[in-house]
Amino acid sequence: MQRVQEVAGRVLASVERAVVGKRAEIRYLFAALLANRHVLIEDVPGVGKTTMVRALARSIDCTFRRIQFTPDLLPSDITGLSVYDPSTRQFTFRPGPIHSQVVLADEINRTSPKTQSALLEAMEEGQVTVDGQTYPLPRPFFVLATQNPIEYEGTFPLPESQLDRFGLRIRLGYPSPAEERAILDLHHAGRPVDAVEPVTTADEIVELQQRVTQVHVADSVKDYVVRIVQATRVHGAVYLGASPRASLSLYRLSQALAAMDGRDYVLPDDVKELAPLVLAHRLVLHPEARWQETDPEAVVRDVLEHVPAPVERRVGGLLGRR
């Protein structure tokens, strides 16, 4: 997995030319790309969400489109539509912005659920269907959606079915004083994202996605993933636990994280690191738990504390259970 590690290092360094102090978040974004999973970025406006996504797209030399979600946006504004051509007396399909390799769904919760649902087939199947005709999307296909916190006015909270399509959720947060000063210096002469150059290719990303699937996961680590997800379904504060899709996302993202570290095997620590990002946004808590100010992240931390991690040892270059 040395090649995966080398490419990841170049991409992270490239994105950091435009984004200050968010290496961990950039790392998770690239892991999601390698795992062929989509990302929800939830945070207040102005903390660099769009800049980070644009810098990532430029670094991997992929086509990029940004969709600004508004209350009057229609599904056809995303997927495209068939337009009648009087000269040929035929309908011609005009693809929408979803037909790109990296798609930023900006402020996704500011549009109606009907329009939000236009992303579901694309995110799950890598295709869109318009007027009965199916159109495949380019590879790699990576959706990154930004979301304002639900307490903001004029928003439509994402339904559970759509939240479950996102492999992980991250938050950027405000920069520290030193980081914010560095941002001012970085933007002194213009937009640093415009200076970001490709450090890999789309074809290489697709190849690395295949390499990630070859990372070894010991049976004990697989069992650990299952026990964590199962524990979210029986937790006293949880009304709706994580789905089998969550198990698959945690499994595949752990493989990607291991490959980025140059390993051909997954450690239990990979699973523990990713679990809050993969599971928390999928949990629906009981009303009484919310009244007690319990949040999904706290539930996942509690699950990790009570589900014992396997103890591993090296066997023939892979991991086996002790």
Side-chain angles (χ1 to χ4, degrees):
M1 296 300 160
Q2 183 177 357
R3 184 178 175 188
V4 179
Q5 186 181 31
E6 291 174 353
V7 173
R10 295 202 304 267
V11 171
L12 266 60
S14 177
V15 177
E16 284 186 311
R17 294 182 59 189
V19 181
V20 176
K22 303 298 178 185
R23 186 172 184 83
E25 289 77 10
I26 299 169
R27 179 169 170 261
Y28 294 136
L29 283 189
F30 192 65
L33 174 62
L34 293 181
N36 202 21
R37 293 298 187 270
H38 308 291
V39 178
L40 178 64
I41 309 174
E42 184 180 275
D43 220 319
V44 297
V47 294
K49 301 185 294 293
T50 301
T51 298
M52 183 167 62
V53 176
R54 189 182 295 274
L56 176 64
R58 292 177 68 96
S59 297
I60 61 178
D61 199 22
C62 285
T63 56
F64 170 77
R65 294 296 295 274
R66 173 180 176 269
I67 309 172
Q68 180 62 54
F69 280 67
T70 57
D72 60 346
L73 196 71
L74 298 175
S76 59
D77 295 328
I78 299 173
T79 60
L81 73 164
S82 297
V83 179
Y84 182 73
D85 187 348
S87 62
T88 62
R89 297 185 179 182
Q90 293 181 341
F91 284 91
T92 302
F93 177 68
R94 293 186 179 178
I98 197 68
H99 296 264
S100 300
Q101 292 168 313
V102 178
V103 178
L104 174 62
D106 206 4
E107 297 186 306
I108 188 174
N109 61 333
R110 288 202 179 276
T111 196
S112 67
K114 178 181 179 180
T115 304
Q116 291 175 8
S117 66
L119 290 172
L120 295 182
E121 181 185 11
M123 294 172 66
E124 186 69 18
E125 306 293 339
Q127 63 184 31
V128 295
T129 302
V130 179
D131 296 332
Q133 182 69 39
T134 299
Y135 302 92
L137 296 172
R139 297 183 62 199
F141 178 66
F142 191 31
V143 174
L144 302 103
T146 70
Q147 176 175 244
N148 293 325
I150 60 174
E151 63 267 25
Y152 275 54
E153 295 181 0
T155 60
F156 300 85
L158 299 181
E160 290 77 16
S161 61
Q162 190 164 338
L163 284 172
D164 201 40
R165 289 330 198 263
F166 292 100
L168 55 80
R169 179 184 64 180
I170 63 173
R171 295 187 176 98
L172 300 185
Y174 288 116
S176 67
E179 291 169 346
E180 195 156 5
R181 171 57 194 272
I183 291 173
L184 299 181
D185 292 337
L186 192 63
H187 285 256
H188 175 72
R191 297 198 316 165
V193 69
D194 294 335
V196 173
E197 297 290 340
V199 295
T200 184
T201 65
D203 290 339
E204 186 172 36
I205 293 297
V206 173
E207 181 183 345
L208 296 185
Q209 288 177 335
Q210 292 299 316
R211 285 177 178 251
V212 162
T213 64
Q214 300 170 11
V215 173
H216 175 73
V217 185
D219 289 341
S220 59
V221 179
K222 294 178 185 177
D223 292 339
Y224 184 49
V225 170
V226 171
R227 285 187 283 116
I228 289 174
V229 174
Q230 290 277 340
T232 67
R233 301 171 189 167
V234 298
H235 194 282
V238 176
Y239 173 74
L240 181 65
S243 66
R245 187 187 283 118
S247 302
L248 290 170
S249 291
L250 186 54
Y251 178 87
R252 191 68 74 201
L253 282 159
S254 297
Q255 288 180 302
L257 209 61
M260 289 173 63
D261 288 341
R263 286 181 279 110
D264 58 358
Y265 57 90
V266 172
L267 293 172
D269 284 346
D270 298 323
V271 178
K272 292 178 69 174
E273 179 180 351
L274 288 165
L277 305 176
V278 175
L279 302 179
H281 67 283
R282 306 172 191 265
L283 304 183
V284 178
L285 304 187
H286 287 293
E288 53 268 28
R290 296 197 298 267
W291 296 336
Q292 296 171 2
E293 299 185 351
T294 300
D295 57 58
E297 288 83 358
V299 171
V300 177
R301 290 194 298 268
D302 184 59
V303 166
L304 293 175
E305 289 178 3
H306 289 87
V307 175
V311 179
E312 308 292 340
R313 61 185 176 87
R314 292 296 296 272
V315 179
L318 301 177
L319 283 183
R321 189 163 189 172
R322 182 179 295 171

